């Protein structure tokens, strides 16, 4: 196992650069997971707005509408409907919504259209005003429906209020109980895995392979008693141990952060298999790069081009839903695109629904990328092995 020992010694010299990438990944993972946890803790909640009402009709129906809105929102009293004063109050966020009930509101409840019965103004930068529109419209429509059917106004107000009281009150809507939301932290782990593992293998594994291809090293190996097949076998074994140990290290970090129950769940195993397949692709790329002699600066430049290029084109740094169709059409020719397609099915920030057919299709396409890249590496390696020292 002399070649394996030599592989370990050379890999140890390049360990600091690889370990820096590993530490950066862990720090990034902790930060993104903490952000995911805080985001999932936020729920959509209906809140009261500062509402100003000018009742010019002063009828039984207008007072009922005012009472209904008073129970839902904060009423801000103003003496008169002064336009400048209203604008100042809305500018300084003292008022969010202004409702004007014109004269004849109650008499016009029998008309066909109820949308023109009221006048309102709201802040354009707040969605709360549009929600108040829906509340007012629902109440006026219900009240108008009873009046049009011949029910007296006083009874119509009573029936309308009872119908709204019968609706179950929803104070908040939470989406944190779903399986995808529970996997949001783990989703970030597997989302950034392709970028980090590719950078680590290109900057850690490729220089080791280049060291064994130097003329002096090749001369020493050829003068030894080991046949070339045994040397290649031990070198390949060293590569497998190297990438497997890093993969185990990543999974160990994930186990500590998310617990075995999440990581080794059904969705967790599917993500682990996906990362294992992409690990083969990253290894094949590192082997192919290691077949060409170059200095570390050139390796670092190529690693950044490949890592950042695939990250932005395939949806690692930017979600695929935000990318344009032309960008995605280019990303389909890269293996990371099909990796991210799978992680999108398990992340709470993507709309993709899990499909076994899509999952295995993406796995198969990634395996085709691996076979192609590894075949190219074998061709290049065979051609260079026939060259004279």
């Amino acid at each position: 196992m002399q070649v394996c020992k030599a592989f370990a010694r050379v890999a140890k010299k390049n360990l600091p650069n690889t370990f820096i990438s590993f530490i950066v990944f862990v720090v990034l993972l902790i930060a993104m997971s903490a952000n995911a946890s805080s985001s999932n803790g936020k729920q959509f909640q209906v809140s009261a707005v500062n509402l100003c009402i000018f009742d010019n009709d002063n009828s039984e129906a207008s007072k009922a509408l005012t009472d209904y809105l008073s129970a839902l929102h904060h009423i801000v009293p103003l003496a008169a409907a002064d336009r400048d004063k209203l604008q100042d109050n809305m500018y300084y966020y003292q008022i969010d919504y202004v409702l004007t009930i014109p004269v004849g509101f109650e008499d016009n409840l029998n008309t066909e259209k109820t949308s023109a019965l009221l006048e309102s103004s709201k802040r354009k930068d707040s969605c709360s005003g549009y929600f108040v529109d829906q509340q007012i419209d629902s109440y006026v429509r219900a009240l108008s429906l009873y009046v049009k059917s011949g029910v007296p106004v006083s009874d119509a107000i009573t029936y309308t209020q009872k119908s709204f009281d019968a609706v179950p009150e929803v104070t908040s809507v939470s989406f944190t109980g779903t399986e995808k939301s529970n996997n949001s932290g783990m989703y970030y782990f597997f989302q950034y895995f392709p970028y980090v593992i590719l950078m680590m293998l290109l900057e850690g594994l490729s220089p080791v392979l280049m060291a064994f291809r130097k003329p002096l090293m090749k001369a020493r190996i050829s003068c030894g008693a080991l046949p070339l097949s045994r040397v290649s076998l031990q070198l390949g074994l060293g590569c497998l141990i190297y990438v497997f140990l890093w993969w185990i290290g990543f999974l160990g970090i994930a186990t500590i952060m998310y617990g075995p129950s999440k990581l080794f769940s059904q969705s967790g195993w599917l993500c682990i298999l996906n990362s294992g397949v992409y690990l083969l692709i990253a290894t094949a790329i590192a082997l192919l790069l290691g077949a060409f002699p170059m200095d570390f600066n050139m390796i670092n430049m190529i690693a950044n081009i490949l890592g950042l290029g695939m990250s932005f084109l395939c949806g690692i740094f930017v979600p695929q839903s935000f990318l344009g169709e032309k960008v995605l059409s280019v990303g389909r020719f890269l293996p990371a695109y099909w990796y991210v397609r799978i992680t999108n099915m398990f992340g709470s920030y993507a709309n993709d629904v899990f499909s076994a057919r899509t999952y295995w299709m993406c796995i198969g396409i990634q395996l085709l990328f691996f076979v192609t890249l590894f075949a190219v590496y074998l061709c290049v390696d065979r051609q260079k092995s026939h060259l004279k020292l």
Side-chain angles (χ1 to χ4, degrees), residues 190 193 247 271-281 339:
F190 289 106
F193 176 81
W247 190 43
C271 290
I272 291 174
L273 176 60
N274 188 32
S275 66
V277 173
Y278 191 85
L279 181 71
L280 296 177
I281 297 174
Y339 175 93

Side-chain angles (χ1 to χ4, degrees), residues 155-332:
D155 294 337
I157 294 173
T158 303
Y159 296 152
T160 302
Q161 189 61 43
K162 287 183 178 180
S163 65
F164 277 85
D165 292 340
V167 177
E169 182 181 1
V170 180
T171 56
S172 63
V173 180
S174 174
F175 299 97
T176 59
T178 61
E179 182 180 359
K180 292 185 72 174
S181 63
N182 293 332
N183 294 333
S184 59
M186 193 171 64
Y187 161 78
Y188 278 115
F189 173 86
F190 289 106
Q191 179 75 3
Y192 292 104
F193 176 81
Y195 168 71
V196 179
I197 196 64
L198 181 61
M199 295 290 293
M200 290 176 60
L201 293 185
L202 291 182
E203 295 181 355
L205 181 60
S206 296
V208 178
L209 299 174
M210 292 178 186
F212 281 89
R213 293 185 179 277
K214 292 181 178 180
L216 182 59
M217 181 66 76
K218 292 179 67 175
R220 289 181 176 179
I221 292 175
S222 61
C223 293
L226 285 176
L228 186 59
S229 58
R230 292 283 300 276
V231 173
S232 300
L233 181 62
Q234 293 187 25
L235 194 60
L237 181 62
C239 292
L240 289 177
I241 295 174
Y242 182 85
V243 298
F244 182 75
L245 288 177
W246 278 119
W247 190 43
I248 292 299
F250 278 113
L251 296 181
I253 294 295
T255 305
I256 295 174
M257 293 189 62
Y258 310 114
S261 59
K262 282 188 178 181
L263 183 63
F264 300 112
S265 61
Q266 182 178 4
S267 59
W269 277 114
L270 293 175
C271 290
I272 291 174
L273 176 60
N274 188 32
S275 66
V277 173
Y278 191 85
L279 181 71
L280 296 177
I281 297 174
T283 304
I285 297 175
L287 291 174
L288 183 59
L289 182 63
F292 300 93
M294 61 186 73
D295 59 4
F296 182 76
N297 292 328
M298 183 66 68
I299 295 175
N300 190 35
M301 183 187 70
I302 295 176
N304 280 291
I305 292 175
L306 290 176
L308 294 175
M310 283 201 290
S311 296
F312 283 106
L313 291 175
C314 300
I316 296 176
F317 290 162
V318 181
Q320 290 183 348
S321 58
F322 293 166
L323 298 177
E325 190 61 34
K326 292 183 179 179
V327 177
L328 292 176
S329 62
V330 176
R332 290 185 179 93

Side-chain angles (χ1 to χ4, degrees), residues 338-354:
W338 304 101
Y339 175 93
V340 175
R341 279 285 302 274
I342 291 180
T343 59
N344 286 342
M345 293 189 290
F346 300 99
S348 60
Y349 299 103
N351 295 324
D352 295 7
V353 179
F354 177 78

